[in-house]
């Protein structure tokens, strides 16, 4: 006989559904003589214990570069501007001024194209930043990297509906909210307004995990992204 996962079971509980309400009432009847229904039961005590409110976690003083003012290919250099943000985070002062990513973009085009992830790896390495690009990242990888103080450059399908996302765009994940959504530096503006507002709306924008699940991991646990190997890095 299969065991029921109560956590998963009650995640879908709908108090407006009479069948759900009746099922819970029947469970109460079935357990009425069980010590599990006592007010002092361990699970009741744990359930009623107030937990500490989780704080928003964000990598502090993270630089932001818009791609829209890049000296060339402003509509397609999101990968370069995103990687340039990470370079400046790990090595502040490397890229000078609000258009500092132009120097990085120029170096990218000197050896290849901005959409080539291997080219980005090589350019970052030339600045002493070791990184690698993966096609099989998960939300657990995002959480792990953020907890270690490292950003993640991810690729999302930024156009179309959630049921049929299209496009291709790179941005930087720099934090997480208490609700489990992610804080990003988006160099093209904000996904939240369909990239129709000011480009600055992409700075520290909050993207819902549920939306990223469709746009970053449309096939399941297969998100694209760049992770950084920076042992000994302390911000």
């Amino acid at each position: 006989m299969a065991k029921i996962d109560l956590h998963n079971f009650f995640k879908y509980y709908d108090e407006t559904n009479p069948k759900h309400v009746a099922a819970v009432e029947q469970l109460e009847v079935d357990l009425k003589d069980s010590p599990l229904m006592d007010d002092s039961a361990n699970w009741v005590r744990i359930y009623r214990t107030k937990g500490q409110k989780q704080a928003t976690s964000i990598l502090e003083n993270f630089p932001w570069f818009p791609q829209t003012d890049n000296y060339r290919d402003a509509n397609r250099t999101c990968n370069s501007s995103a990687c340039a943000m990470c370079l400046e985070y790990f090595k502040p002062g490397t890229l000078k001024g609000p258009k500092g990513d132009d120097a990085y973009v120029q170096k990218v085009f000197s050896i290849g194209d901005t959409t080539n992830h291997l080219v980005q790896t090589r350019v970052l390495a030339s600045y002493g930043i070791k990184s690698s690009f993966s096609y099989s990242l998960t939300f657990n990888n995002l959480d792990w990297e953020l907890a270690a103080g490292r950003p993640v450059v991810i690729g999302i399908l930024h156009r179309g509906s959630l049921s049929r996302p299209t496009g291709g765009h790179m941005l930087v994940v720099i934090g997480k909210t208490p609700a489990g959504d992610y804080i990003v530096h988006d160099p093209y503006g904000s996904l939240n307004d369909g990239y129709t507002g000011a480009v600055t709306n992409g700075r520290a924008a909050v993207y819902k995990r549920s939306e990223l699940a469709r746009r970053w991991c449309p096939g399941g646990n297969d998100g694209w992204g760049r992770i950084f190997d920076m042992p000994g890095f302390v911000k």
Side-chain angles (χ1 to χ4, degrees):
M1 183 180 295
K3 298 289 186 182
I4 293 177
D5 180 349
L6 287 177
H7 182 273
N8 186 62
F9 187 85
F10 282 106
K11 180 168 63 175
Y12 298 101
Y13 177 75
D14 180 2
E15 63 181 7
T16 65
N17 185 327
K19 293 293 186 181
H20 287 193
V21 174
V24 172
E25 290 175 347
Q26 183 60 52
L27 181 61
E28 291 177 346
V29 171
D30 293 341
L31 293 174
K32 68 177 182 178
D33 296 325
S34 169
L36 290 174
M37 294 299 289
D38 291 345
D39 199 53
S40 58
N42 281 336
W43 76 271
V44 176
R45 176 182 55 79
I46 294 170
Y47 183 85
R48 290 174 174 171
T49 300
K50 292 184 178 180
Q52 292 183 339
K53 186 176 180 180
Q54 185 180 0
T56 296
S57 173
I58 188 169
L59 304 182
E60 295 183 1
N61 301 317
F62 204 97
W64 176 75
F65 291 124
Q67 69 184 83
T68 52
D69 64 355
N70 288 351
Y71 81 99
R72 61 166 288 186
D73 294 73
N75 287 328
R76 59 184 297 271
T77 45
C78 51
N79 201 4
S80 292
S81 288
C83 288
M85 294 184 215
C86 297
L87 165 60
E88 186 63 15
Y89 172 72
F90 286 117
K91 293 192 172 184
T94 301
L95 303 174
K96 309 295 185 182
K99 285 176 58 65
D101 54 338
D102 270 354
Y104 182 93
V105 174
Q106 185 174 10
K107 201 164 188 177
V108 167
F109 281 116
S110 72
I111 65 171
D113 190 71
T114 182
T115 60
N116 189 316
H117 299 301
L118 181 58
V119 168
Q120 300 291 347
T121 300
R122 290 174 58 192
V123 173
L124 285 166
S126 73
Y127 287 102
I129 304 297
K130 186 177 180 181
S131 67
S132 60
F133 196 84
S134 172
Y135 296 90
S136 58
L137 297 181
T138 68
F139 284 104
N140 285 339
N141 292 121
L142 290 187
D143 295 343
W144 177 272
E145 294 302 307
L146 290 173
R150 297 185 293 263
V152 182
V153 177
I154 65 171
I156 66 169
L157 301 176
H158 66 312
R159 300 297 190 189
S161 65
L162 285 182
S163 60
R164 300 186 67 178
T166 61
H169 180 50
M170 307 298 294
L171 51 90
V172 189
V173 179
I174 64 169
K176 190 175 182 181
T177 73
D181 300 320
Y182 290 88
I183 303 168
V184 306
H185 268 1
D186 191 321
Y188 197 55
S190 176
L191 178 66
N192 297 323
D193 60 24
Y195 298 100
T196 60
V199 68
T200 51
N201 291 345
R203 187 169 192 164
V206 175
Y207 288 176
K208 290 186 175 298
R209 178 186 173 124
S210 58
E211 183 149 9
L212 289 178
R214 297 293 187 91
R215 295 190 182 277
W216 181 51
C217 300
N221 293 332
D222 59 353
W224 293 16
R226 177 173 301 279
I227 57 177
F228 295 87
D229 182 10
M230 299 293 289
F233 170 75
V234 178
K235 189 65 174 179

